[in-house]
């Protein structure tokens, strides 16, 4: 993209801020009704990186919570095809999701993703029961998807008619989760992914490249509000869902290889932060502000590298922080996240690593996100037993916590609102371990080094490895709390003895005295010996398990 065009686009985004949209509840205004209106200057945080990075620090509740569970749930759960990009990939001829859609729902020229959104009914959803399970598993905060890349709001949106109170479940999904989570003492978070929709949905305006329907444009290219008369979507405009044909695949592409090359070339425009239609940014701003004001989340998660949509993302971060302070008598309790944030901006929000860890103790609190299977529910993960093991989840938690991070775990729901029996079993096993050893994780802070062992943990997005853990009892992670050192042991030693080499009396890292070793929740001392090379702790066999354990080590100078 040339510099002139980029400047024009970013200027359009910078002027796109929140304003009341004319029209009734649930009926978005047309683009002509949207007027550029700026957000009022905030009392503490301005909508710029200088203000965010100089005035923000992650609140203690987040630093203490350590473990959250995420209901990554929406219409893409209905096909259960295991592809979290189903709503996009079903429009790419040759992709497995395209073939799945053709077989089960029809050709995308006749039956597009909007039809899948209406098939999402949540008819067996028991949010109270699920939240009870998640709390029992040790989660201290819970996150719900507010909207995904498919541009569908899972809440009572006044500014976007394509929402879960009018289509599909006919319920306020986010509002229900929020009420029940707070009743259980859980902090509440929402994830906002819709900043990608302006580009992500453009494939719905494409066409088959071969076969009997070659060249016939898909549903988004031909449907208008008028076409909905007498149908389930009467009164809705598909163009508002699919975001308008601004970057649709051009005519004349003759092969799948050419199409893939075109998509690859245009995908880079996501990083520009500015869509071709500034009205999209305005509507996104209105929707996001309403999400904040209506549900008052403790955490606003953006599924973006850096903040979404250029200046609009900065506006929303500042708006959320200021609103959050107003809700809490001037205390800042809010968390905003973004993925792989540049180092110079990590003081202004919480950095997120997708399906991976950091290889070091980060000075600033951060979060890793991962999933038992794929982000949206996939039936093959159940059939083929491809879920993460409880050991994998808990070892990841221990590793992340030792590096000043939190873990957000997605437990994907089926379209009907249930989790399968294997998912439930995994969460129950996590619950058993956390009820015994979780007190050694909550409220902790990093030590001098994060750990020791044969596997010290790699870093970066998508670095998490396989579905089972490769750690052993030789892998130890360290954290501190209230003057004590906690050793998180990522396995159970075969001979019943934990060996901590960093705590050998000759090791300067483990300097200090060792006077007492216990399990969390117990005052009964465990027998230990300390030499120059290591601290050896003998374990009772009655607590043996496949996952590991936590030790609380007390003594003068260990944590100073």
């Amino acid at each position: 993209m040339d510099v002139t065009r980029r400047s024009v686009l970013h200027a359009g985004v910078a002027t796109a801020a929140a304003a009341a949209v004319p029209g009734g509840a649930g009926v978005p205004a047309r683009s002509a009704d949207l007027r550029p209106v700026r957000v009022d200057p905030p009392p503490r945080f301005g909508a710029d990186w200088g203000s965010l990075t100089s005035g923000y620090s992650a609140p203690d509740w987040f630093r203490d919570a350590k473990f959250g569970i995420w209901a990554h749930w929406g219409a893409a759960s209905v096909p259960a095809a295991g592809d979290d990009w189903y709503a996009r990939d079903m429009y790419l001829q040759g992709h497995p999701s395209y073939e799945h859609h053709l077989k089960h729902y029809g050709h995308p020229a006749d039956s597009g993703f909007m039809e899948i959104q209406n098939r999402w009914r949540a008819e067996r959803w028991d949010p109270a029961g699920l939240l009870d399970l998640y709390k029992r598993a040790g989660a201290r905060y819970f996150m719900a998807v507010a909207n995904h890349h498919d541009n569908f709001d899972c809440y009572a949106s006044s500014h976007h008619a394509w929402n879960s109170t009018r289509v599909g479940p006919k319920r306020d999904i986010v509002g229900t989760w929020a009420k029940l989570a707070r009743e259980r003492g859980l902090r509440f978070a929402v994830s906002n992914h819709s900043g990608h929709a302006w580009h992500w949905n453009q494939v719905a305006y494409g066409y088959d490249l071969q076969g009997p329907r070659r060249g016939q444009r898909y549903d988004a290219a031909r449907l208008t509000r008028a076409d909905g008369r007498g149908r389930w979507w009467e009164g809705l405009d598909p163009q508002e869902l699919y975001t308008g044909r601004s970057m649709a695949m051009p005519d004349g592409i003759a092969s799948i290889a050419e199409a893939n090359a075109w998509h690859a070339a245009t995908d880079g425009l996501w990083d520009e932060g500015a869509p071709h239609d500034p009205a999209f940014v305005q509507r996104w701003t209105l929707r996001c502000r309403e999400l904040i004001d209506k549900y008052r989340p403790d955490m606003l998660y953006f599924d973006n590298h850096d903040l979404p949509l250029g200046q609009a993302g900065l506006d929303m971060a500042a708006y959320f922080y200021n609103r959050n302070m107003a809700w809490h008598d001037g205390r800042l309790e809010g968390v905003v996240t973004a993925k792989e944030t540049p180092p110079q901006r990590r003081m202004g929000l919480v950095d997120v690593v997708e399906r991976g860890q950091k290889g070091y103790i980060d000075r600033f609190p951060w979060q890793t996100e991962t999933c038992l299977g794929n982000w949206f529910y996939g039936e093959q993960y159940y059939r083929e037993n491809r879920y993460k093991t409880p050991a994998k989840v808990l070892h990841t938690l221990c590793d992340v916590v030792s590096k000043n991070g939190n873990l957000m775990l997605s437990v994907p729901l089926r379209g009907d609102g249930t989790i399968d029996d294997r998912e439930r079993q995994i969460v129950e096993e996590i619950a058993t371990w956390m009820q015994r050893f979780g007190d050694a994780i909550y409220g902790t802070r990093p030590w001098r080094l994060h750990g020791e062992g044969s596997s010290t943990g790699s870093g970066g997005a998508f670095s998490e490895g396989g579905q089972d853990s490769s750690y052993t009892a030789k892998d130890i992670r360290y954290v501190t709390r209230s003057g004590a050192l906690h050793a998180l042991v990522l396995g159970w030693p075969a001979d019943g003895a934990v060996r901590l080499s960093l705590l050998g009396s000759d090791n300067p890292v483990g300097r200090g005295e060792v006077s007492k070793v216990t399990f969390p929740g117990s005052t009964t001392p465990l027998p230990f010996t300390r030499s120059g090379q290591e601290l050896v702790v003998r374990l009772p066999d009655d607590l043996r398990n496949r996952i590991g354990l936590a030790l609380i080590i007390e003594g003068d100078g260990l944590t100073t």
Side-chain angles (χ1 to χ4, degrees):
M1 183 179 293
D2 63 76
V3 174
T4 302
R5 181 167 179 75
R6 182 183 299 143
S7 300
V8 170
L9 292 179
H10 280 272
V13 176
T15 59
V21 172
V27 181
R30 303 185 181 201
S31 296
D33 299 322
L34 293 167
R35 299 179 297 277
V37 183
R38 63 186 296 274
V39 179
D40 290 334
R44 172 170 170 182
F45 288 96
D48 61 84
W49 282 112
S51 178
L52 297 182
T53 56
S54 63
Y56 181 73
S57 61
D60 284 341
W61 77 258
F62 178 79
R63 300 196 68 191
D64 293 342
K66 304 303 182 188
F67 183 40
I69 287 183
W70 186 3
H72 199 287
W73 185 41
S77 303
V78 173
D83 183 4
D84 58 311
W85 278 26
Y86 185 94
R88 175 178 170 87
D89 293 339
M90 60 157 282
Y91 290 105
L92 301 178
Q93 191 178 30
H95 193 281
S97 293
Y98 173 94
E99 300 300 333
H100 180 92
H101 195 83
L102 201 64
K103 178 180 178 180
H104 293 277
Y105 305 108
H107 193 272
D110 307 321
S111 179
F113 193 73
M114 58 184 273
E115 299 291 341
I116 301 297
Q117 289 176 336
N118 196 47
R119 287 173 179 259
W120 178 36
R121 299 302 172 86
E123 63 271 23
R124 298 174 61 198
W125 183 37
D126 176 18
L130 290 170
L131 288 166
D132 287 339
L133 171 63
Y134 301 156
K135 183 174 181 179
R136 190 164 67 251
R140 295 290 177 89
Y141 58 117
F142 171 81
M143 185 158 75
V145 170
N147 43 48
H148 203 252
H149 306 344
D150 63 348
N151 206 34
F152 184 89
D153 286 345
C154 302
Y155 58 95
S157 175
S158 302
H159 306 296
H160 189 54
W162 292 91
N163 70 71
S164 62
T165 67
R166 294 192 57 171
V167 176
K170 304 291 180 66
R171 299 177 68 175
D172 184 348
I173 300 296
V174 168
T176 302
W177 282 127
K179 177 178 182 294
L180 295 174
R182 289 185 170 118
E183 286 176 358
R184 285 154 178 78
L186 299 172
R187 292 281 185 161
F188 182 67
V190 291
S191 66
N192 186 319
H193 310 242
S194 61
H196 293 303
W198 68 274
H199 175 266
W200 203 78
N201 274 334
Q202 291 302 305
V203 291
Y205 294 84
Y207 51 87
D208 279 7
L209 300 161
Q210 58 192 27
R213 303 191 68 166
R214 177 179 177 179
Q216 293 183 24
R217 293 276 178 179
Y218 300 140
D219 65 319
R222 60 181 181 79
L223 295 178
T224 66
R225 188 190 301 269
D227 295 312
R229 293 193 185 99
R231 305 175 69 177
W232 66 262
W233 49 279
E234 184 169 5
L236 301 176
D237 187 352
Q239 298 308 306
E240 290 170 354
L241 173 68
Y242 291 121
T243 73
R245 184 176 175 169
S246 62
M247 290 182 60
M249 190 167 67
D251 293 328
I253 291 181
S255 70
I256 291 176
E258 289 180 31
N260 289 340
W262 183 85
H263 290 305
T266 55
D267 278 350
L269 294 177
W270 282 17
D271 297 329
E272 295 295 328
H276 285 213
D277 182 7
F280 171 84
V281 183
Q282 286 186 291
R283 195 178 306 283
W284 179 89
T285 299
L286 293 170
R287 291 158 63 189
C288 194
R289 284 187 66 174
E290 182 174 46
L291 178 68
I292 292 167
D293 290 334
K294 183 174 285 188
Y295 304 104
R296 296 191 174 189
D298 299 291
M299 185 169 89
L300 179 60
Y301 171 104
F302 287 123
D303 186 37
N304 297 82
H305 297 271
D306 217 329
L307 291 172
L309 301 175
Q311 183 60 42
L314 285 165
D315 289 343
M316 282 303 100
Y319 182 81
F320 174 64
Y321 287 156
N322 291 317
R323 294 294 293 147
N324 184 273
M325 292 179 68
W327 306 330
H328 296 97
D329 298 322
R331 301 187 317 277
L332 182 55
E333 296 279 298
V335 175
V336 170
T337 75
K339 293 192 287 191
E340 299 177 33
T341 316
Q344 68 273 20
R345 294 178 175 177
R346 288 182 188 165
M347 301 86 80
L349 43 69
V350 168
D351 186 42
V352 167
V353 179
E354 182 174 357
R355 291 187 181 270
Q357 296 101 310
K358 297 195 176 190
Y360 57 91
I361 298 174
D362 197 326
R363 175 184 174 187
F364 302 104
W366 60 284
Q367 178 174 276
T368 193
E369 57 176 32
T370 192
C371 185
L372 287 184
N374 205 349
W375 291 116
F376 284 113
Y377 187 83
E379 191 66 34
Q380 76 272 27
Y381 285 86
Y382 174 75
R383 292 195 312 267
E384 301 168 12
N385 196 21
R386 291 166 54 194
Y387 291 128
K388 286 181 175 62
T389 63
K392 178 71 172 185
V393 173
L394 288 164
H395 291 174
T396 300
L397 173 64
C398 293
D399 184 71
V400 166
V401 167
S402 74
K403 299 167 184 172
N404 203 26
N406 286 20
L407 172 65
M408 174 64 76
L409 175 69
S410 170
V411 181
L413 278 66
R414 296 182 177 110
D416 65 6
T418 61
I419 61 174
D420 64 44
D421 55 358
R422 283 202 182 95
E423 290 179 291
R424 186 173 293 276
Q425 179 184 357
I426 293 166
V427 177
E428 290 285 11
E429 289 189 44
I430 292 170
T432 298
W433 194 91
M434 289 293 285
Q435 287 165 14
R436 184 67 186 87
F437 299 109
D439 282 347
I441 291 175
Y442 302 122
T444 58
R445 298 295 183 265
W447 190 47
R448 299 161 187 162
L449 292 181
H450 79 270
E452 62 173 290
S454 56
S455 301
T456 55
S458 61
F462 302 99
S463 64
E464 64 182 6
Q467 300 301 95
D468 201 0
S469 177
S470 61
Y471 293 125
T472 73
K474 295 180 180 180
D475 297 303
I476 318 295
R477 298 294 179 265
Y478 294 102
V479 290
T480 67
R481 188 179 69 191
S482 302
L485 178 64
H486 297 184
L488 310 173
V489 185
L490 308 186
W492 195 279
D495 63 355
V498 173
R499 291 170 170 81
L500 309 172
S501 63
L502 286 183
L503 291 177
S505 58
D506 292 341
N507 194 319
V509 175
R511 59 191 178 274
E513 299 297 321
V514 176
S515 59
K516 184 179 181 181
V517 182
T518 58
F519 281 129
S522 172
T523 58
T524 303
L526 296 171
F528 69 88
T529 58
R530 192 184 195 194
S531 67
Q533 288 71 46
E534 61 186 6
L535 175 72
V536 180
V537 182
R538 296 288 172 182
L539 307 176
D541 199 58
D542 60 338
L543 289 178
R544 181 180 292 271
N545 63 83
R546 297 178 298 170
I547 295 169
L549 64 142
L551 299 172
I552 298 179
I553 306 167
E554 299 175 74
D556 291 342
L558 274 180
T559 60
T560 55

